[in-house]
Amino acid sequence: MRITEMHITPIALGDPPLLNAAGLHAPYCLRTVVELRTADGLTGLAEVPGSAAVDAALAAARDAVIGADPRNWHGLRAKVAAQGAPETSRARGDKPWDGRTRVQVFSALDVACLDLQGKAYGVPVAQLLGGVVRERVPYSAYLFYKYEGAGGELGFGTDPLAAGWAKARQAAALDPDGVVAQAEAMVAEFGFRSIKLKGGCFEPAQEVAAMKALRKRFGAGVPLRLDPNALWSVESSIRWGRELEGVLEYLEDPCRGQEGMARVRREVKLPLATNMCTTSFDDLPGSARLESEDIILTDHHFWGGLRSSMELAAHCRTFGRGVSMHSNNHAGISFAAMTHLGAAMPNLTHALDTHYPWQWEEIITGGRIAIEDGSVALPKVPGLGVELDRAALARAHAAYVRCGLKERNDEIEMRKKVPGWKFAATRW
Ligand code: GKR
Ligand code: MG
């Protein structure tokens, strides 16, 4: 089995004006679709967060990929790794998302090769990851503070005919009442059984009030999480973390760095989760030594693929960490890959994050993947279980060309609303 073609297609999908620690989501989120074709006519798919830099890094790996056997992951991985210096966690940057590119190349190739292998052997990817431990994978409602309006061609406009969750997705949510209304609509539509709020947007007091309002509305049976994306100082994290004891199932990245997180963890009786202080294998010795978190949120796009995420899960088992999953905006190929990983991870301790409800377009055949009772059914067909809708892919690529965005920059978008706004690595 030999890979004979590699196709890299940047796409843009509509995204509402969601607020976060680094500013405001643009009307489009960028993704890149990778297709690997073999001489015997199979196609393996993957999707990664899009940027011109990621696309260039993928293109640079093409020579190593063409001619490779997708069944020999170690061989292909080593060939690509030999093309450049290893990328450590320092290259991640201080934004909520991960700025590295090579980990995403490994991720795209790992997922597409697994899709090819699954198709060749006639088994779902989850089986190649060690077997299916759950047929349905639980996800969490992911709430955002937001301005009114939708994204994409609509920009900040709204569709007056929208109803149900589509209508709620356009509504503003800027205070505790708005957050609770958003949660009610999202939970009613998708049946989520746990709720996360993206924080780091307003003063801690306001975000803590929103969590308490959610608790009051949904009760202790619905686990809650708050993620200020490390915008709080260690002192604020201790002060506001104590306020949230007994309210949250976990507090995610209240402050920056493993030392800071470890201090907060000693002072506050609340589990801490991270996708910011322990983000790659070179962070693991520090995590074990300092005990910086209770739960590590893997993300196959940033940990180098599904197989690497399984390696991380083994570390979590050894060092007594819970494991769950981080997300960014994504489409159906990533959603399928996340679901296979969630289905195969024996020690998954919490429902996974997903931004999927915020998007409405799709690039796979059959349209949007169904989230029911807060979970997604593992596809029972060979590989990832998704195929490209060529017309939809072409539309999403045309949107990429038209929108002119080449990387995610929430600061620029935020300045359109709040002139002069600047990202601060620690704000409160
Ligand atoms: O989509 O705005 C967002 C989030 O802030 C995202 O970029 C983060 O990476 O979801 C993420 C997180 O859990 O930190
Ligand atoms: Mg996070």
Side-chain angles (χ1 to χ4, degrees):
M1 203 177 178
R2 297 277 152 207
I3 299 168
T4 50
E5 292 172 45
M6 176 178 180
H7 300 278
I8 302 161
T9 312
I11 61 167
L13 302 171
D15 196 22
L18 307 177
L19 285 151
N20 71 16
L24 185 64
H25 284 209
Y28 287 97
C29 60
L30 305 182
R31 305 292 292 175
T32 292
V33 173
V34 176
E35 294 170 71
L36 300 183
R37 296 223 178 99
T38 62
D40 38 354
L42 292 177
T43 300
L45 297 176
E47 174 195 331
V48 286
S51 71
V54 168
D55 296 350
L58 282 163
R62 194 189 301 273
D63 285 350
V65 173
I66 301 299
D69 182 339
R71 294 167 302 186
N72 180 5
W73 173 238
H74 295 310
L76 174 55
R77 198 188 184 291
K79 238 166 124 189
V80 174
Q83 290 181 327
E87 200 174 33
T88 67
S89 54
R90 238 168 294 150
R92 182 196 178 282
D94 53 10
K95 296 280 164 41
W97 59 91
D98 199 315
R100 292 173 294 166
T101 54
R102 282 174 67 75
V103 282
Q104 300 194 51
V105 173
F106 291 128
S107 172
L109 298 177
D110 168 74
V111 173
C113 286
L114 281 166
D115 191 24
L116 284 171
Q117 278 176 267
K119 284 169 176 162
Y121 304 149
V123 295
V125 165
Q127 279 193 25
L128 299 173
L129 298 175
V132 177
V133 290
R134 56 189 70 77
E135 297 284 348
R136 295 197 68 88
V137 176
Y139 286 89
S140 178
Y142 198 159
L143 311 180
F144 278 82
Y145 286 108
K146 77 176 286 285
Y147 291 121
E148 190 178 62
E153 305 282 276
L154 294 173
F156 278 15
T158 50
D159 172 5
L161 298 179
W165 164 243
K167 185 170 178 197
R169 186 169 48 200
Q170 296 178 7
L174 297 165
D175 57 16
D177 287 349
V179 167
V180 168
Q182 188 184 93
E184 284 171 337
M186 201 188 259
V187 166
E189 177 79 12
F190 301 102
F192 292 118
R193 293 171 189 187
S194 61
I195 299 175
K196 162 170 170 171
L197 173 64
K198 170 56 52 183
C201 311
F202 298 107
E203 295 213 347
Q206 184 174 337
E207 300 190 349
V208 167
M211 297 319 295
K212 289 186 175 171
L214 286 168
R215 174 63 183 260
K216 193 164 165 222
R217 167 63 184 82
F218 291 93
V222 176
L224 302 177
R225 315 157 179 184
L226 173 65
D227 178 10
N229 274 127
L231 270 234
W232 296 355
S233 66
V234 170
E235 289 66 35
S236 298
S237 303
I238 294 170
R239 174 175 172 210
W240 294 105
R242 284 184 180 147
E243 284 277 325
L244 290 166
E245 286 174 358
V247 176
L248 301 186
E249 69 166 331
Y250 61 69
L251 178 58
E252 185 174 327
D253 290 309
C255 62
R256 229 156 260 285
Q258 291 181 329
E259 282 83 3
M261 288 280 282
R263 249 194 77 199
V264 175
R265 202 167 159 263
R266 285 194 297 272
E267 302 282 336
V268 180
K269 290 185 209 67
L270 202 54
L272 298 189
T274 190
N275 65 281
M276 294 186 78
C277 80
T278 301
T279 60
S280 46
F281 289 96
D282 62 288
D283 284 328
L284 294 183
S287 156
R289 195 177 63 249
L290 296 163
E291 306 206 329
S292 40
E293 71 283 307
D294 300 273
I295 300 133
I296 299 180
L297 303 172
T298 186
D299 180 326
H300 72 270
H301 307 93
F302 301 130
W303 281 85
L306 299 174
R307 286 174 269 219
S308 301
S309 292
M310 292 301 286
E311 284 177 35
L312 171 64
H315 165 93
C316 289
R317 191 178 59 234
T318 307
F319 290 93
R321 300 286 188 278
V323 56
S324 190
M325 209 182 286
H326 160 266
S327 86
N328 275 303
N329 292 104
H330 60 88
I333 302 172
S334 281
F335 205 17
M338 291 154 73
T339 300
H340 281 274
L341 182 58
M345 203 177 262
N347 52 333
L348 182 77
T349 50
H350 296 81
L352 284 49
D353 284 358
T354 177
H355 284 55
Y356 200 65
W358 291 104
Q359 267 57 65
W360 51 91
E361 294 151 304
E362 241 322 343
I363 50 162
I364 55 171
T365 55
R368 307 275 302 162
I369 291 174
I371 306 175
E372 283 161 6
D373 292 331
S375 63
V376 173
L378 180 72
K380 291 223 166 88
V381 294
L384 288 173
V386 290
E387 295 302 333
L388 279 172
D389 174 337
R390 296 273 157 203
L393 183 71
R395 276 196 301 277
H397 177 65
Y400 170 81
V401 173
R402 230 173 22 247
C403 78
L405 299 171
K406 293 284 177 271
E407 63 171 359
R408 178 174 175 182
N409 189 328
D410 294 9
E411 194 178 35
I412 289 179
E413 201 56 32
M414 186 72 160
R415 286 195 193 129
K416 294 180 188 165
K417 274 296 245 198
V418 184
W421 191 90
K422 264 200 180 66
F423 171 71
T426 305
R427 195 179 290 277
W428 290 287

